[in-house]
Amino acid sequence: MVSPSQKPSVCTNMAAVGRHGGHYIQKNSRFLLNNLEQLWGHRSFGWTPALRQQAAEANKESTETIVIPRKKTWSKVAVLEALASTVSRDPTAYPHQFQDDSYLSPRTSSEFRLFSLSQESGRTTATYFANSNPKYFTKDFAEPHIPCLMPETVSLRLEEVSEEALKERISLRKVTAAVEMYDQLLQAGTVISMETSHDLLDLICFYCDRNPAQEWEPQTEDMEESGELVKRKRDKTRRASDLMKFTWRENNNAERIFNLLPERDSRCYSALIRGMVKHGAYAKAFSVYTDMLNNRLTGDVHIFNALISAAPEVRDKYYEKWELITELLTQMNQQKVQPNLLTFNSVLKALRRCGSLAKTQSLQTLNEMKALGIAPSLASFSHTLAVFYKAANVGQNNNDILQEVMSEMAGTSFTCQDPDDVFFFINTMRICLESKDLELAYKVQKLVEVGENWRMVGDSYQSNIYYGRFFSLLCMMEHIDVVFKWYRQLIPSLYYPNSQGLRDLLQALDTDGRLDLLPTVWKDIQSLGHDNKLELVEELLTLMARDKHSPEVQESFAACALDVKSAYEVNRVKFSLKWSASSLSYVTLLLLRANKIQQAWEMLQLFKTNNRVPFEELMEDFLTACRSEGSSQRAVELVQLSAAFCLRATPGLAKRTLAEFDLTEKQRTILSELESAGEPTD
């Protein structure tokens, strides 16, 4: 036995051994782990040489240094863009700008324009009050800061005569105030820097020596004159530049300040020439350019772009216009001015007015662009197609050119590089419609759906024209099921059909024999606000009443006819819908075919109220319906009504009634008199 006095010694010895063992293991742990890894690597466990090689490569890769990627800087709207990419457009919803107010849901293109202008007017009014009273709008609620929501600095702060005050007026686009400050500086003998002089010339030339109308300011007299000028143009292609178009005045402040400059460089000439071209002084622009060459100055690319676009305005004959353009391009080469995209687009646009020369030269211009590594924009292709395609000359060659253009552009996402880019899709779809090329139209629409190309269709006005042409072509060439698929995709989120578009849809239903869908289309006509269009409503009634259909279809037609009758009654006050003999006859006939005799009889009374005469075929059908119902009294009243309208069918109706109905003696007497009264006398 071990005595109690020996136990502590044993415990102490065991603890010492444990400490030594733990110290040894800790000291040699890395050595043991390395040996174990090597031993594990040498054990094959039946691995093939290929597997052992893969394991060795994996072990080698694991020992390589991990490279941490560089930090990526995300845009402030990256999260919003990611969220937006997860949803698609809802074809049943109105445009997003109208979804905040259910009462501002446009049904037609005119309502879309009205509501859009109303929203913009409210926005402009709010901006006017904010900019006029900035002291009341100092608190910034937006996080992060949104500069456009804060009042703009529109009032002048520097009143002393200095170059800094002149720069302030230039930055605020105060043309008149800037010119006055410039004159005061000259009178004081102050030397104005060339950079400030450049900015002043740019401002005066761009706005044609007039104060621009700010977004929040009331309309000025000049702008009202400009509005009248735009109204006189009245062309279908509305451009933003037309809204600000003024005429260049002789010896205006731009020319006066230009002549006062002690030193004139190419930048000064560029501002003056571009301003003259922009505001219609084409001949004077070429005169200033000649003066620049005489002063041994070279032009820049902006000068040549402006002069090329003005070339068709200063020459009459086609070959003279092209010779002038060629001369300008030669001078660009001599002056070592590198052309850009707008240069070639100006050439292509000018070629549209060069007659028969245009086709050959436009293709050469495109080849020159490619040789210089300049990618054509949508405007480049639009001008080229305008050269090859004329509305009065639809041929296979034009389609071949368009096929080549669409093949080259397929799958490309475009960004706006030229103001005329927005006219490509609308003009291309016009070509497809007039040449009745559905395949090409699908290619154009597919290109619109690539990336952000839908933005290049244009504003709401141009977009409605584009989709209207596409939809008309579908109604003309495509099967009705496909037409309705596109119909549901486009309306009302992208396209507000006009009455002609809906008439195209009715004709497509007639062509494919799907007249049973007419009541559904009528509901859409009502929701789109076209139930007051007389020609459209009468065409709908004509299609429903032309042929007989199954009882179910006739029942739906009768319900639709009663709805049409209600529309006539509602719009009668506005005088937009007036009953015609055909519309009254068609509604009555539809009610008769659905065995709604009483409502049909009420419709007959409307003929006399509206001074209209029913069709004789309608009276025959009505008499047949009376015989089916067994109503002899109504048959007699029908013959009397026919006599009141002095219809030639009255004797025949009276004879039929006498032969086919059980009548009283009094009724027979009345009908005999009507029959004899209607017979011709020798």
Side-chain angles (χ1 to χ4, degrees):
M1 289 183 65
V2 179
S3 63
S5 61
Q6 294 176 331
K7 289 182 180 179
S9 176
V10 174
C11 293
T12 303
N13 293 335
M14 292 179 64
V17 173
R19 284 197 301 270
H20 285 295
H23 179 68
Y24 181 82
I25 293 174
Q26 183 179 5
K27 181 179 180 180
N28 298 284
S29 59
R30 183 171 298 277
F31 176 78
L32 292 173
L33 288 174
N34 290 335
N35 288 337
L36 287 173
E37 288 178 358
Q38 293 177 3
L39 179 62
W40 181 266
H42 289 304
R43 296 291 299 272
S44 63
F45 295 103
W47 286 5
T48 62
L51 291 176
R52 282 198 297 271
Q53 183 179 358
Q54 292 178 4
E57 292 177 356
N59 188 24
K60 180 180 179 181
E61 291 177 359
S62 64
T63 60
E64 293 179 355
T65 306
I66 298 176
V67 179
I68 301 176
R70 297 179 62 184
K71 179 181 178 182
K72 180 175 177 59
T73 303
W74 297 94
S75 65
K76 295 181 179 180
V77 294
V79 176
L80 294 177
E81 291 175 348
L83 291 174
S85 65
T86 61
V87 295
S88 57
R89 178 180 58 85
D90 182 4
T92 63
Y94 290 98
H96 183 267
Q97 66 189 100
F98 302 112
Q99 293 180 8
D100 293 337
D101 191 343
S102 58
Y103 292 98
L104 292 179
S105 297
R107 301 180 301 170
T108 63
S109 57
S110 58
E111 285 188 358
F112 181 95
R113 183 173 181 273
L114 175 63
F115 295 162
S116 301
L117 292 177
S118 300
Q119 283 189 338
E120 189 62 29
S121 176
R123 223 176 267 119
T124 304
T125 304
T127 306
Y128 169 75
F129 280 107
N131 292 339
S132 302
N133 305 278
K135 59 184 178 180
Y136 300 118
F137 302 92
T138 57
K139 190 169 174 111
D140 188 4
F141 294 94
E143 294 182 6
H145 174 67
I146 304 176
C148 64
L149 297 182
M150 300 302 293
E152 295 180 3
T153 303
V154 295
S155 58
L156 299 175
R157 296 181 179 180
L158 301 176
E159 297 296 337
E160 70 276 5
V161 179
S162 64
E163 187 172 345
E164 291 300 322
L166 176 58
K167 290 181 179 179
E168 180 191 41
R169 283 153 177 76
I170 294 174
S171 64
L172 294 177
R173 299 185 300 170
K174 305 286 186 182
V175 177
T176 304
V179 171
E180 292 175 355
M181 180 60 65
Y182 181 83
D183 291 337
Q184 292 176 15
L185 289 171
L186 288 183
Q187 292 174 3
T190 305
V191 178
I192 303 173
S193 66
M194 203 64 183
E195 183 180 357
T196 305
S197 300
H198 290 161
D199 294 340
L200 179 61
L201 270 179
D202 287 340
L203 177 70
I204 300 173
C205 293
F206 185 82
Y207 290 110
C208 199
D209 196 16
R210 291 175 175 85
N211 282 324
Q214 305 290 341
E215 294 180 356
W216 52 273
E217 286 182 349
Q219 193 178 43
T220 62
E221 293 183 1
D222 289 338
M223 287 302 296
E224 290 175 0
E225 294 177 2
S226 174
E228 293 177 1
L229 184 116
V230 173
K231 289 179 181 178
R232 287 197 297 269
K233 289 193 77 171
R234 285 296 183 189
D235 57 352
K236 294 298 182 182
T237 57
R238 306 174 306 162
R239 304 189 183 187
S241 59
D242 291 339
L243 302 178
M244 295 293 295
K245 189 170 184 179
F246 298 105
T247 304
W248 187 269
R249 293 180 295 189
E250 190 75 18
N251 297 322
N252 58 11
N253 284 318
E255 296 183 27
R256 181 177 64 84
I257 292 175
F258 177 81
N259 293 326
L260 289 175
L261 290 175
E263 181 183 353
R264 306 181 192 97
D265 57 5
S266 298
R267 173 76 182 278
C268 299
Y269 280 99
S270 177
L272 196 62
I273 291 173
R274 293 163 69 187
M276 289 177 173
V277 172
K278 177 180 174 62
H279 299 291
Y282 307 111
K284 198 160 191 177
F286 278 92
S287 176
V288 174
Y289 173 68
T290 303
D291 182 60
M292 183 191 73
L293 295 180
N294 293 335
N295 290 328
R296 300 182 181 278
L297 294 174
T298 59
D300 59 15
V301 67
H302 305 295
I303 291 177
F304 286 104
N305 292 352
L307 293 176
I308 290 172
S309 63
E313 305 291 343
V314 296
R315 295 289 187 272
D316 294 329
K317 297 181 179 180
Y318 294 151
Y319 72 89
E320 291 178 349
K321 296 177 182 180
W322 177 243
E323 285 179 355
L324 180 56
I325 295 172
T326 307
E327 181 182 350
L328 290 170
L329 293 174
T330 303
Q331 292 178 10
M332 283 187 73
N333 187 31
Q334 292 173 351
Q335 298 177 27
K336 297 182 179 180
V337 178
Q338 188 70 17
N340 58 14
L341 173 66
L342 296 180
T343 306
F344 290 103
N345 284 354
S346 299
V347 173
L348 291 170
K349 188 174 183 179
L351 281 171
R352 296 172 63 172
R353 301 175 58 183
C354 291
S356 57
L357 297 171
K359 292 185 178 181
T360 304
Q361 302 302 333
S362 61
L363 294 179
Q364 291 182 0
T365 303
L366 288 176
N367 292 333
E368 186 70 17
M369 293 178 69
K370 295 178 181 178
L372 293 175
I374 299 176
S377 69
L378 290 175
S380 310
F381 293 115
S382 180
H383 297 322
T384 304
L385 291 175
V387 166
F388 279 88
Y389 179 82
K390 302 296 181 183
N393 183 21
V394 180
Q396 186 63 33
N397 292 333
N398 295 327
N399 290 345
D400 290 343
I401 293 294
L402 184 53
Q403 287 277 10
E404 294 178 11
V405 169
M406 294 309 301
S407 299
E408 184 173 346
M409 299 171 65
T412 306
S413 180
F414 291 90
T415 56
C416 189
Q417 303 177 71
D418 189 300
D420 290 336
D421 282 348
V422 295
F423 296 109
F424 171 78
F425 287 111
I426 186 174
N427 291 333
T428 305
M429 190 55 71
R430 175 177 59 84
I431 296 173
C432 295
L433 176 61
E434 294 182 356
S435 60
K436 297 181 177 58
D437 197 327
L438 184 60
E439 181 183 356
L440 269 178
Y442 277 130
K443 290 182 179 180
V444 175
Q445 177 59 24
K446 186 176 181 181
L447 183 62
V448 170
E449 297 171 354
V450 174
E452 299 289 317
N453 287 348
W454 60 271
R455 298 182 183 275
M456 312 301 293
V457 176
D459 59 12
S460 60
Y461 176 80
Q462 294 171 319
S463 176
N464 213 58
I465 293 178
Y466 168 80
Y467 285 110
R469 290 170 175 171
F470 180 49
F471 185 70
S472 295
L473 183 58
L474 288 172
C475 292
M476 190 186 307
M477 307 296 294
E478 192 57 275
H479 189 270
I480 190 61
D481 293 334
V482 180
V483 172
F484 261 92
K485 185 193 76 171
W486 282 102
Y487 179 76
R488 298 307 178 195
Q489 287 183 4
L490 299 178
I491 301 172
S493 59
L494 293 175
Y495 171 48
Y496 293 95
N498 54 17
S499 58
Q500 182 58 47
L502 291 170
R503 291 181 68 183
D504 292 340
L505 179 60
L506 295 180
Q507 293 172 5
L509 290 172
D510 185 22
T511 302
D512 283 5
R514 293 300 306 275
L515 298 181
D516 56 297
L517 297 175
L518 288 175
T520 304
V521 176
W522 167 249
K523 292 180 181 178
D524 292 339
I525 291 174
Q526 285 182 301
S527 65
L528 293 169
H530 292 295
D531 54 348
N532 58 351
K533 303 297 191 301
L534 182 61
E535 294 181 356
L536 179 62
V537 176
E538 288 195 347
E539 183 164 354
L540 176 80
L541 292 173
T542 302
L543 292 176
M544 288 194 296
R546 188 182 60 192
D547 302 317
K548 291 184 179 181
H549 301 273
S550 63
E552 295 80 8
V553 175
Q554 290 296 160
E555 190 69 29
S556 64
F557 281 0
C560 182
L562 291 175
D563 208 5
V564 171
K565 177 187 174 185
S566 301
Y568 269 93
E569 293 173 352
V570 169
N571 291 285
R572 183 176 56 184
V573 181
K574 303 177 183 178
F575 298 100
S576 55
L577 281 183
K578 291 183 179 180
W579 284 111
S580 63
S582 58
S583 57
L584 284 169
S585 298
Y586 292 149
V587 172
T588 307
L589 184 59
L590 290 170
L591 294 173
L592 282 177
R593 289 176 180 173
N595 296 322
K596 298 182 182 296
I597 308 299
Q598 182 59 38
Q599 285 115 332
W601 181 256
E602 293 173 0
M603 287 297 302
L604 274 182
Q605 310 310 311
L606 292 178
F607 281 92
K608 185 178 292 185
T609 304
N610 293 275
N611 295 321
R612 299 289 186 265
V613 179
F615 297 159
E616 294 183 358
E617 295 80 1
L618 174 63
M619 306 302 284
E620 295 284 353
D621 292 340
F622 207 112
L623 186 61
T624 302
C626 291
R627 185 184 62 183
S628 302
E629 191 184 30
S631 176
S632 58
Q633 180 59 33
R634 182 162 287 168
V636 174
E637 293 176 357
L638 179 68
V639 178
Q640 290 176 324
L641 186 62
S642 175
F645 287 120
C646 300
L647 295 178
R648 291 182 300 177
T650 302
L653 292 173
K655 186 176 181 179
R656 275 190 59 191
T657 306
L658 287 170
E660 298 176 3
F661 289 86
D662 294 330
L663 305 171
T664 63
E665 193 63 31
K666 183 178 180 180
Q667 291 172 339
R668 287 185 173 277
T669 303
I670 294 173
L671 291 175
S672 299
E673 292 177 356
L674 293 174
E675 182 182 6
S676 58
E679 292 178 353
T681 56
D682 296 333

